[in-house]
């Protein structure tokens, strides 16, 4: 046990329990920094650094540097942050468990005990990304969608079940329970955790007395492989999203390293007005903080206004940190935090320990103005927040609710280059009749990342270079739905035009975790049904809450039946529409959109609305609160001012306005008091296996070692540990390399490693066909992340990616320069030819390379193609770290220099000179360029290995070989 600074102290954990903690006030008493002035989020990280200070992973100087954090000029030091636990969702979780299984296989081949590969901190994986809205508007929608999910994902689920029994510290929460971030908030998070202290000699030496085994308490902290992990910040828990590669290292006991951040203080004053929701507030904050450029910074909310917000409101704000660009959106711990733990069924023992621990650390209570030093201070008056929506393409583009109609009309005619839709002389009254005959979706090739016509967008437009253009984890189905039910869709007749609402989804943990907005949606539905209002059959309505608790209170309050009558039947407990799993539209509606080139709309209570993310044919997507989703479903169009125009007529033909349906704050509060009980949470969050018989029916292998099946096309042993030896590699110069791709600015992780559907003529499609798989069964890249043979072929395979080695083309093509002549072929085929001749490869790119979601396959696929270095004008934070984590060298051009300014065309030979065993973080090396008939040129480039530990990772060929060698050398 470490106690480098002699700060171990006792405190009363409640109910007479004596416990120990590493005291930050005691550290301050020793003169190590003005800790009582530090932001709360920094103090929680500091406690971890102090507690884990062992002189090796965490050094004395790390503690001193962070304790002396300078608000106005944080030192550019890396912080080794050891987290208490890890959360995963199934999409990012499967490849991570595949890597752990591969490490066990490698250890067994070396004749050692495979059980040394075991997560050293608790890991929770929640299966929430695989359910799609295939069926809706029916009482059977939940059951039928779950059936479809299990059919599609059987092999992946078999593998996860193996992992569940193979690893002791790995808990799996099966499908149909909820969304990872909401399950984390309502169940997994404890606020404080404890471990057993084996000896307290150091305490005894200072005159304390205690048992030889006693409890040491410390804050609950985590990282998750999903960018919205920050939702837990609303409870006062420090945590954020990281790449899968960093999460694996964290599992195996490595610290998560990050540079000392600035902390932006947002002082909240005033209170929200009647009729303004937490969703309106978070959209206001997203717009405000985007403008303040908080990317890579911690944001901490404080003041009387913050204290007035209940935890679900705080969690909604924390959830959207990725949308405003911050690493975290943190709320300090106060009485509201403890009240939330009690209300959600946590034990009294847990609640007392939580409160008493933070009181002992002098960290309990919402800070007021002037009590904390922040890097920047921003004022936010809650009374100024207006009802609003955000869109149609970005979460930060907030629109006051009355202005939506006017804004939409302007965007329709605005030129494409200015972010509009470029339509001329539009008459918004023009509508096209569509017959809805209840038929199943069209039976053909499913929408693909690679079919331009399936994108509903024009190729090559700058505005489309945004994350996850067609990132739907599951494809729209073909024959299988038809077989299930001949009556998936609504009957009747609809009229569609520009601005028609075709998808209305109450979805996403962002808002469904918040009872006030969910009950508001139910109350609005009740008033609408009582007045005889109906939703047009052309609107695809769905309700997909992040937890079964929502269904419980909607039934208890009698509100679910009104939502059902408007078509908002329960479709599943998962991310659904928010991540693009919105399922198919009626084929006749899709035809009308194509034929008339319509800019149709979706309205959703999610957190992201990039063009074509929600559905590939829907160009305008608006984020809003759940009650507004219901209101716009009733109105049927977005070009409307709901403050002045009616959203429909009641059964007597009278105009009905939004103000007639909107519930009052007292109505919402009365319903909430009736609905929420701690016992509900306790009942719904236990015995998961018993609550999901389908999960129990899935067969699975057992044992410590996974039996890799060569017949499986979902799970395959990756080559990262083949021919593994205990000797690390050498850092040496890269000579005689070729450029595999030369890309422009804002190449996203979705461009590098798409998650959408697989095209038949792509390298991955050809490979799957060669394995006897029919195109309709290809599923998506996202679902095959456990198979490196598919994923490597899918790297740089997005139809949107433009490689200037082959000017005028789009998609994963390049030229192979063997004998000086460039031969056009797929990037995968060219890479494999270069591998045969041991030719190292380089990627050249512009600014913000690797922006978008933290997709580890974007780095893994790059490495497996034989790429040794990526030279870019700038990198996105997580992707840069993932490249290093896979042993690929990130290099940065000097300002003003790019592959384009150097006029490179791919025919050149490239060398990186100056790399050696003595490499230092941030040093400058030389990129040598040798073109045909041209003089050799030299360009200085900066090594974007930012910290000393990253030098070690790079030397070892990546973070996993580094960790594996450490474990084996013990």
């Amino acid at each position: 046990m470490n106690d480098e600074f002699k700060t171990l102290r006792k405190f009363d954990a409640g109910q007479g329990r004596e416990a120990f903690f590493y005291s930050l006030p005691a550290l301050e008493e020793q003169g190590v920094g003005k800790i009582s002035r530090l932001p709360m989020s920094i103090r929680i990280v500091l406690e971890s650094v102090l507690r884990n200070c062992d002189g090796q992973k965490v050094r004395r100087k790390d503690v001193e540097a962070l304790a002396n954090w300078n608000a106005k000029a944080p030192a550019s030091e890396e912080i080794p942050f050891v987290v208490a636990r890890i959360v995963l969702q199934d999409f990012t979780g499967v490849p991570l468990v595949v890597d752990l299984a591969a490490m066990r296989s490698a250890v067994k081949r070396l004749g050692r005990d495979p059980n040394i590969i075991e997560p050293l901190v608790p890991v929770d994986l929640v299966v929430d990304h695989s359910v799609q809205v295939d069926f809706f508007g029916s009482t059977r929608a939940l059951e039928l969608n779950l059936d479809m999910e299990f059919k599609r994902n059987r092999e992946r689920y078999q593998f996860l079940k193996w992992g569940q029994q193979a690893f002791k510290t790995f808990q799996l929460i099966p499908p149909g329970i909820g969304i990872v971030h909401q399950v984390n908030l309502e169940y997994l998070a404890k606020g404080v955790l404890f471990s057993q202290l084996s000896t307290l000699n150091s305490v005894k030496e200072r005159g304390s007395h205690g048992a030889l085994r006693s409890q040491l308490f410390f804050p609950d902290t985590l990282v998750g492989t999903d960018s919205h992990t920050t939702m837990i910040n609303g409870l006062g828990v420090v945590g954020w999203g990281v790449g899968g590669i960093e999460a694996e290292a964290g599992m195996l006991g490595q610290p998560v390293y990050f540079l000392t951040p600035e902390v932006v203080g947002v002082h909240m004053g005033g209170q929200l007005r009647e009729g303004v929701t937490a969703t309106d507030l978070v959209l206001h904050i997203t717009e405000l903080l985007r403008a303040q450029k908080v990317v890579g910074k911690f944001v901490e909310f404080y003041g009387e206004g913050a204290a007035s917000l209940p935890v679900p409101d705080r969690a909604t704000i924390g959830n959207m940190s990725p949308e405003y660009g911050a690493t975290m959106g943190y709320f300090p711990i106060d009485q509201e935090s403890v009240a939330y733990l009690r209300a959600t069924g946590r034990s009294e023992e847990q609640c007392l320990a939580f409160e008493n621990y933070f009181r002992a650390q002098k960290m309990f209570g919402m800070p007021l103005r002037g009590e904390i030093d922040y890097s920047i201070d921003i004022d936010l008056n809650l009374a100024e927040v207006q009802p609003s929506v955000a869109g149609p393409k970005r979460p930060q583009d907030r629109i006051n609710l009355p202005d939506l109609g006017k804004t939409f009309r302007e965007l329709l005619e605005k030129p494409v280059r200015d972010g509009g839709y470029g339509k001329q002389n539009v008459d918004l009254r023009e509508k096209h009749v569509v017959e809805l005959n209840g038929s199943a979706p069209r039976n053909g090739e499913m929408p693909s990342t690679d079919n331009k016509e399936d994108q509903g967008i024009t190729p090559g437009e700058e505005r489309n270079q945004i994350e996850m253009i067609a990132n739907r984890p599951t494809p729209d189905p073909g024959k299988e739905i038809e077989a299930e039910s001949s009556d998936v869709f609504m009957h009747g007749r609809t009229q569609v035009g520009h601005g028609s609402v075709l998808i209305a989804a109450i979805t996403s943990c962002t808002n469904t975790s918040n009872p006030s907005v969910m009950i508001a949606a139910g109350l609005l539905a009740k008033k609408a049904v009582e007045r005889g209002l109906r939703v047009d059959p052309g609107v695809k309505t769905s309700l997909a809450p992040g937890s079964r608790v929502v269904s419980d209170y909607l039934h208890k309050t009698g509100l679910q039946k009104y939502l059902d009558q408007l078509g908002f039947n329960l479709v599943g407990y998962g991310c659904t529409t928010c991540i693009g799993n919105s399922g198919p539209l009626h084929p006749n509606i899709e035809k009308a959109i194509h034929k008339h080139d319509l800019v149709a709309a979706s309205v959703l209570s999610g957190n992201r609305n990039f063009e074509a993310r929600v559905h590939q044919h829907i160009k305008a997507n608006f984020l809003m609160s759940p009650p507004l989703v219901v209101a716009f479903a009733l109105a049927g169009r977005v070009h409307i001012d709901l403050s002045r125009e009616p959203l429909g007529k009641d059964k007597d033909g009278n105009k009905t306005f939004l103000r007639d349906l909107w519930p009052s704050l007292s109505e919402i509060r009365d319903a909430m008091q009736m609905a929420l009980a701690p016992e509900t949470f306790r009942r719904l969050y236990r015995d998961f296996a018993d609550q999901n018989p389908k999960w129990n029916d899935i067969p699975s292998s057992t044992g410590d070692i996974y039996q890799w099946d060569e017949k499986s096309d979902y799970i395959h042993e990756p080559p990262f540990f083949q021919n593994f030896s205990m000797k690390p590699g050498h850092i040496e110069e890269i000579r005689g390399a070729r450029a595999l791709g030369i890309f422009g600015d804002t190449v996203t992780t979705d461009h590098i490693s798409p998650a959408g559907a697989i095209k038949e003529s792509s390298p991955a499609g050809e490979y799957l066909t060669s394995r006897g798989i029919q195109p309709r069964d290809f599923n998506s890249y996202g679902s095959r992340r456990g198979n490196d043979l598919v994923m490597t072929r899918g790297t740089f395979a997005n139809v949107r990616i433009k490689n200037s080695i082959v000017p005028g083309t789009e998609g994963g093509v390049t030229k192979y320069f063997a004998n000086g002549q460039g031969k056009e072929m797929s990037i995968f085929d060219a890479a494999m030819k270069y591998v045969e001749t041991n030719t190292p490869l380089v990627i050249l790119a512009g600014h913000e390379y690797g922006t978008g979601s933290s997709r580890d396959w974007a780095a893994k696929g790059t490495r497996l193609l034989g790429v040794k270095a990526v030279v870019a004008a700038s990198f996105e934070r997580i992707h840069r770290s993932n490249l290093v984590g896979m042993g690929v060298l990130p290099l940065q051009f000097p300002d003003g220099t790019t592959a384009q300014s150097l006029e490179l065309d791919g025919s050149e030979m490239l060398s990186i000179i100056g790399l050696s065993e003595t490499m230092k973080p941030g040093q400058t090396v030389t990129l040598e360029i040798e073109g045909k008939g041209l003089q050799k040129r030299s360009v200085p480039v900066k090594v974007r290995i930012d910290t000393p530990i990253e030098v070690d990772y790079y030397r070892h060929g990546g973070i996993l070989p580094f960790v594996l060698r450490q474990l084996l050398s013990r």
Side-chain angles (χ1 to χ4, degrees):
M1 191 194 70
N2 314 309
D3 191 11
E4 174 73 22
F5 288 85
K6 304 289 181 276
T7 55
L8 200 61
R9 297 288 185 273
K10 285 184 176 179
F11 80 107
D12 172 15
Q15 298 174 334
R17 283 181 302 155
E18 189 179 78
F20 290 86
F21 75 116
Y22 282 92
S23 167
L24 295 178
L27 188 63
E28 184 168 25
E29 282 163 19
Q30 296 177 31
V32 187
K34 288 187 179 169
I35 293 163
S36 53
R37 301 285 306 173
L38 295 179
M40 297 297 185
S41 50
I42 293 286
R43 288 191 228 178
I44 288 177
V45 176
L46 175 60
E47 187 281 339
S48 166
V49 177
L50 174 67
R51 177 168 34 91
N52 290 287
C53 180
D54 60 0
Q56 292 169 313
K57 271 187 235 162
V58 183
R59 300 156 302 174
R60 188 180 173 95
K61 68 178 214 177
D62 296 321
V63 178
E64 290 164 347
L66 191 57
N68 288 288
W69 179 81
N70 180 338
K72 299 302 175 195
S76 61
E77 300 280 332
E78 62 168 345
I79 299 170
F81 181 35
V82 178
V83 296
R85 59 191 180 91
I86 310 269
V87 295
L88 314 170
Q89 35 92 332
D90 54 309
F91 249 57
T92 48
V94 167
L96 206 136
V97 181
V98 167
D99 287 349
L100 291 179
M103 287 171 91
R104 278 203 171 174
S105 296
V107 171
K108 184 146 198 287
R109 284 195 291 271
L110 291 168
R112 302 283 296 276
D113 178 8
N115 288 310
I116 63 169
I117 304 300
E118 174 72 45
L120 297 178
V121 295
V123 178
D124 295 288
L125 186 151
V126 182
V127 182
D128 64 3
H129 266 54
S130 299
V131 62
Q132 175 168 296
V133 190
D134 294 318
F135 302 91
F136 68 100
S138 130
T139 50
R140 291 192 61 213
L142 173 69
E143 168 205 349
L144 293 169
N145 287 328
L146 207 56
D147 278 348
M148 192 68 75
E149 176 187 350
F150 272 80
K151 275 182 191 156
R152 281 193 187 114
N153 295 286
R154 191 175 177 84
E155 267 186 77
R156 295 167 68 235
Y157 290 175
Q158 282 175 335
F159 173 68
L160 286 174
K161 276 190 91 168
W162 168 80
Q164 192 178 10
Q165 61 81 46
F167 298 104
K168 295 184 187 69
T169 46
F170 177 68
Q171 176 181 223
L172 194 139
I173 293 174
I177 301 296
I179 299 173
V180 58
H181 310 306
Q182 194 160 339
V183 172
N184 193 16
L185 185 70
E186 293 178 353
Y187 169 64
L188 298 173
K190 303 287 187 280
V192 285
L193 303 169
F194 65 85
S195 61
Q196 297 296 338
L197 276 178
S198 53
T199 173
L200 294 179
N201 292 341
S202 55
V203 179
K204 284 183 172 176
E205 283 162 19
R206 293 198 298 280
S208 299
H209 301 287
L212 279 175
R213 289 185 69 77
S214 189
Q215 290 176 337
L216 172 73
F217 278 78
F218 49 93
D220 184 1
T221 57
L222 68 146
V223 288
T225 57
D226 188 282
S227 50
H228 295 99
T229 300
T230 50
M231 184 164 184
I232 203 63
N233 301 161
L235 187 58
V237 173
V238 163
W240 59 84
V242 295
I245 295 158
E246 280 181 284
E248 284 176 60
M251 273 186 195
L252 297 169
Q254 290 298 300
V256 173
Y257 290 90
F258 65 104
L259 288 172
T260 312
E262 289 182 38
V263 182
V264 177
V266 177
H267 179 266
M268 289 181 163
Q271 289 201 326
L272 293 177
R273 293 176 299 121
E274 176 90 27
V276 174
T277 65
T279 317
D280 300 322
L281 173 57
V282 76
L283 296 179
H284 183 98
I285 287 170
T286 301
E287 179 188 47
L288 174 77
L289 294 182
R290 264 283 162 195
Q292 291 284 343
K293 298 194 168 40
V294 298
V295 173
K297 300 174 185 177
F298 285 7
V299 171
E300 192 163 297
F301 299 94
Y302 71 105
E304 298 90 338
S308 75
L309 296 175
V311 166
D313 289 8
R314 299 176 187 185
T316 295
I317 294 163
N319 178 288
M320 283 189 73
S321 296
E323 281 66 47
Y324 44 85
T327 302
M328 282 203 298
Y330 183 80
F331 282 83
I333 288 153
D334 64 358
Q335 212 59 59
E336 284 290 339
S337 322
V338 183
Y340 182 81
L341 284 190
R342 280 201 177 92
T344 48
R346 269 71 164 212
S347 70
E348 188 56 23
E349 185 180 38
Q350 185 71 47
C351 296
L352 285 171
F354 180 49
E355 179 170 345
N356 290 3
Y357 174 86
F358 281 99
R359 285 193 185 280
Q361 287 286 26
K362 299 195 171 151
M363 288 172 62
F364 192 82
M366 188 63 69
L368 301 175
R369 198 195 290 282
E371 292 179 359
I372 303 275
D373 297 325
Y374 291 110
S375 307
I376 304 165
D377 244 315
I378 296 172
D379 265 312
L380 170 59
N381 181 355
L382 298 183
E384 290 173 2
V385 177
Q386 309 276 341
S388 45
V389 304
K393 298 174 190 178
R394 301 189 308 174
Q396 64 264 39
D397 295 334
R398 191 185 64 82
I399 304 164
N400 282 336
L401 186 59
D403 299 334
L404 178 57
K406 177 167 68 81
T407 305
F408 182 75
R409 287 184 190 93
E410 287 166 3
L411 283 169
L412 265 183
E413 301 199 348
K414 205 176 190 180
V416 168
R417 65 174 179 275
D418 298 329
Y421 295 103
K423 303 288 176 198
Q424 297 302 314
N425 309 316
V426 173
D427 179 0
L428 282 170
R429 291 168 303 185
E430 189 181 329
K431 293 281 186 280
H432 309 279
V433 175
V434 177
E435 297 292 341
L436 305 177
N437 55 3
S439 70
R442 71 177 187 278
N443 184 20
E445 200 177 297
M446 61 192 176
S448 163
T449 319
D450 299 286
N451 281 359
K452 295 187 184 70
E453 65 276 11
D454 270 338
Q455 299 292 318
I457 34 192
T458 314
E461 292 165 5
E462 180 62 33
R463 68 198 166 98
N464 295 326
Q465 294 189 347
I466 293 177
E467 176 201 1
M468 294 186 176
I469 291 292
N471 175 19
R472 344 204 116 61
T474 46
D476 291 354
K479 278 203 172 71
E480 63 266 54
I481 277 205
E482 219 164 298
E484 282 285 338
S485 160
S486 59
D487 207 14
V488 183
F489 293 96
M490 297 288 184
H491 290 266
R493 170 181 286 193
T494 187
Q495 296 187 322
V496 299
H498 292 303
S500 289
V501 172
L502 298 180
I503 289 178
I506 300 175
T507 178
S508 168
C509 51
T510 310
N511 287 294
T512 68
S513 57
N514 195 323
S516 66
V517 290
M518 295 303 287
I519 282 172
L523 289 167
L524 193 145
K526 176 175 186 278
K527 294 183 183 192
V529 168
E530 285 167 352
R531 285 171 177 257
L533 272 67
R534 286 282 171 269
V535 172
D536 185 274
V539 184
K540 182 168 188 176
T541 44
S542 61
L543 167 65
S547 141
R548 295 172 306 161
V549 172
V550 178
S551 293
D552 188 88
Y553 66 65
L554 286 175
H555 281 294
K556 261 189 202 154
T557 51
L559 296 174
Q560 183 63 55
K561 64 177 184 245
Y562 298 107
L563 286 162
D564 289 349
Q565 285 178 63
L566 295 182
F568 287 96
N569 299 75
L570 179 66
V571 296
Y573 298 101
C575 303
T576 63
T577 306
C578 188
I579 56 164
N581 283 1
S582 53
L585 293 172
H586 192 287
N588 294 353
I589 287 180
E590 294 198 2
K591 271 186 204 141
I593 293 172
H594 275 307
K595 185 177 173 187
H596 305 290
D597 193 21
L598 298 178
V599 180
S602 77
V603 295
L604 67 152
S605 61
N607 48 41
R608 285 189 175 163
N609 55 345
F610 305 134
E611 184 165 354
R613 173 180 167 109
V614 169
H615 189 284
Q616 68 276 14
H617 297 310
I618 291 193
K619 298 183 188 180
N621 304 287
F622 294 97
L623 306 179
M624 59 187 65
S625 65
L628 282 179
V629 170
V630 179
F632 277 98
L634 289 162
R637 60 193 175 103
V638 292
H639 47 285
I640 184 172
D641 172 1
L642 285 182
S643 67
R644 293 169 52 197
E645 295 176 65
L647 46 69
K649 288 186 175 173
D650 66 15
K651 51 184 179 263
D652 302 322
N654 300 317
K655 290 178 178 175
T656 302
F657 294 85
L658 180 61
R659 59 179 174 269
D660 301 326
L661 304 181
W662 197 265
S664 70
L665 209 50
S666 60
E667 287 176 285
I668 294 168
R669 281 191 184 135
D670 290 349
M672 275 170 67
Q673 278 174 342
M674 186 170 89
L676 288 167
E679 181 43 45
T680 304
F681 290 86
R682 285 194 281 267
R683 174 171 50 82
L684 290 175
Y685 281 116
R686 64 174 174 236
D687 307 326
F688 296 121
D690 297 346
Q691 297 177 27
N692 196 334
K694 277 191 177 62
W695 183 254
N696 298 339
D697 293 345
I698 286 187
S700 162
S701 63
T702 55
D704 297 337
I705 299 289
Y706 186 67
Q707 304 304 314
W708 304 99
D709 179 1
E710 283 304 315
K711 294 199 288 292
S712 171
D713 291 299
Y714 279 93
I715 306 296
H716 181 264
E717 183 175 7
F720 306 132
F721 309 105
Q722 278 165 9
N723 309 318
F724 179 82
S725 82
M726 286 301 289
K727 279 206 174 91
H730 296 289
I731 298 177
E732 53 195 17
E733 295 178 339
I734 298 167
R735 291 184 174 270
R738 292 280 188 185
L740 185 62
I742 301 177
F743 304 117
D745 292 341
T746 324
V747 168
T748 69
T749 48
D750 196 56
H751 286 116
I752 304 166
S753 182
I758 300 167
K759 194 182 181 188
E760 198 174 348
S761 59
S762 68
E766 288 173 354
Y767 169 74
L768 290 172
T769 303
S770 77
R771 301 273 297 177
I773 296 167
Q774 295 294 316
R776 68 165 180 270
D777 298 322
F778 280 180
N779 215 324
S780 62
Y781 284 113
S783 67
R784 293 190 186 268
R785 283 180 185 163
N787 186 339
D788 60 283
L789 300 172
V790 174
M791 296 309 292
T792 307
R793 287 168 170 81
T795 306
F796 299 109
N798 190 316
V799 71
R800 296 273 158 211
I801 199 159
K802 292 190 210 47
N803 184 357
S804 62
I805 293 175
V806 195
T809 63
E810 282 193 318
V813 290
T814 191
K815 282 182 186 166
Y816 170 66
F817 293 93
N819 314 314
Q821 290 302 312
K823 186 181 178 190
E824 195 174 314
M825 60 181 71
S826 78
I827 283 179
F828 174 77
D829 290 342
M832 293 305 102
K833 280 182 174 292
Y834 283 127
V835 166
E836 285 167 19
T837 55
N838 288 323
T839 306
L841 298 173
V842 172
I843 296 290
L844 302 162
H847 286 280
E848 293 179 15
Y849 182 76
T851 190
S853 66
S854 57
R855 195 164 300 164
D856 50 342
W857 261 110
K860 287 177 174 175
T862 301
R863 149 87 191 277
L864 291 179
L865 286 174
V867 173
K868 302 296 181 196
V870 177
V871 193
S874 67
F875 290 90
E876 190 276 337
R877 175 182 71 92
I878 293 178
H879 186 63
R880 183 208 63 80
S881 126
N882 278 348
L883 287 170
V884 178
M886 288 312 300
V888 177
L889 182 66
L891 299 165
Q892 192 159 323
F893 283 120
D895 283 352
T897 305
T898 62
Q900 283 70 27
S901 72
L902 295 167
E903 297 182 350
L904 303 182
D905 65 6
S907 63
E908 302 83 4
M909 297 290 281
L910 306 169
S911 296
I912 295 154
I913 308 301
L915 294 172
S916 72
E917 279 296 312
T918 57
M919 182 167 82
K920 296 274 187 293
Q923 81 174 61
T924 299
V925 295
T926 303
L927 172 66
E928 277 189 1
I929 304 161
E930 211 170 334
K932 216 182 348 180
L934 294 170
Q935 206 177 347
K936 191 184 282 187
R937 291 180 288 166
S938 296
V939 180
V941 288
K942 181 182 180 180
V943 172
R944 282 302 312 276
I945 286 182
D946 292 354
T947 62
I949 190 78
E950 287 188 341
V951 176
D952 283 339
Y953 293 162
Y954 179 64
R955 179 181 289 112
H956 280 258
I959 200 165
L960 296 180
F962 171 82
V963 172
L964 187 49
R965 289 187 183 106
Q966 277 205 327
L967 291 170
L968 286 165
S969 61
R970 281 180 188 165

